[in-house]
Amino acid sequence: MVNLPLQPRYILPPLCLMALSALLAALNLNDVLEFNRQLIEQGQVWRLLTSQYVHANWPHLGLNCAGIILIWALHAEHTKPTQYALHTVFLAAWCGIGIYYFCPDIRIYTGLSALLHGVIVWGAIKDIDAGMKTGILLFIGIWLKIAYEQLNGPSAEVGKLIASRVAIDAHLIGAIGGIVLALPLVMTYLKKRQA
């Protein structure tokens, strides 16, 4: 039997993230919040952070909400609400800044997918630290997915669904952010192994 983490402390943070993104979509705030390189260069630096929470369309939001639910099912018990919020804000800023500096061809960007790649990498490392062998499989799996995207390019089908090109380099940046976020876990794990 599957034992899902249904306690409020586990279910409220991902619900709040989905609700925030849905509210921003309903209010149609992309023009004010999306990553727009030209406007960021003119001083609208908040877009580096806020762009992660808005989406190209409702199917785009739906795909990212499915990702949030998957990560919740896998890793909700690893974080407290405050930690969840700090992780998502750190990764949103990390991804926005990373896209700005390392993806000059990305002029417009929206969506949680880069951030979610970071969250799932952090969760896989947390699984490994907790002694769960599935963490190793998840860690390898997410990097295989990213390698596949880098070698084969973005999915045309997903791009058509979300009416936007899938930003595979943003996924890579997000996953690297997950490793950065997990550095304290990695250091603890390595110390335990040496002891």
Side-chain angles (χ1 to χ4, degrees):
M1 182 175 163
V2 177
N3 188 14
L4 294 174
L6 296 172
Q7 296 89 341
R9 71 180 180 270
Y10 300 134
I11 203 165
L12 287 176
L15 283 178
C16 287
L17 181 57
M18 289 188 289
L20 170 65
S21 293
L23 176 65
L24 296 175
L27 294 174
N28 197 23
L29 293 175
N30 282 29
D31 288 343
V32 179
L33 302 177
E34 71 188 4
F35 181 102
N36 181 313
R37 185 169 296 277
Q38 181 181 358
L39 295 176
I40 291 168
E41 289 169 353
Q42 292 173 9
Q44 296 184 17
V45 294
W46 66 84
R47 293 171 179 272
L48 295 171
L49 180 72
T50 60
S51 57
Q52 310 302 309
Y53 302 101
V54 294
H55 292 82
N57 57 23
W58 288 102
H60 187 200
L61 175 60
L63 287 173
N64 281 315
C65 286
I68 292 169
I69 292 167
L70 172 67
I71 293 167
W72 162 78
L74 292 171
H75 300 132
E77 293 166 318
H78 287 328
T79 60
K80 298 178 175 96
T82 303
Q83 186 182 33
Y84 188 95
L86 290 173
H87 283 186
T88 55
V89 169
F90 168 81
L91 287 167
W94 173 274
C95 294
I97 292 167
I99 292 165
Y100 183 80
Y101 284 107
F102 298 107
C103 304
D105 57 319
I106 295 180
R107 311 304 296 168
I108 303 291
Y109 176 85
T110 60
L112 284 164
S113 60
L115 179 158
L116 294 178
H117 278 73
V119 173
I120 203 159
V121 165
W122 179 88
I125 294 170
K126 181 68 175 173
D127 282 350
I128 295 166
D129 183 53
M132 299 169 67
K133 294 194 186 325
T134 54
I136 295 168
L137 294 174
L138 184 59
F139 188 82
I140 292 169
I142 195 71
W143 286 103
L144 287 174
K145 175 205 179 278
I146 290 167
Y148 179 84
E149 287 179 337
Q150 291 295 314
L151 292 171
N152 296 297
S155 166
E157 295 81 17
V158 174
K160 187 175 180 182
L161 177 67
I162 67 172
S164 181
R165 188 172 193 269
V166 177
I168 59 172
D169 292 336
H171 295 172
L172 174 60
I173 289 167
I176 293 168
I179 290 176
V180 170
L181 196 60
L183 282 177
L185 295 173
V186 172
M187 299 306 286
T188 302
Y189 177 78
L190 293 175
K191 284 179 186 175
K192 281 194 275 186
R193 299 225 1 142
Q194 291 175 349

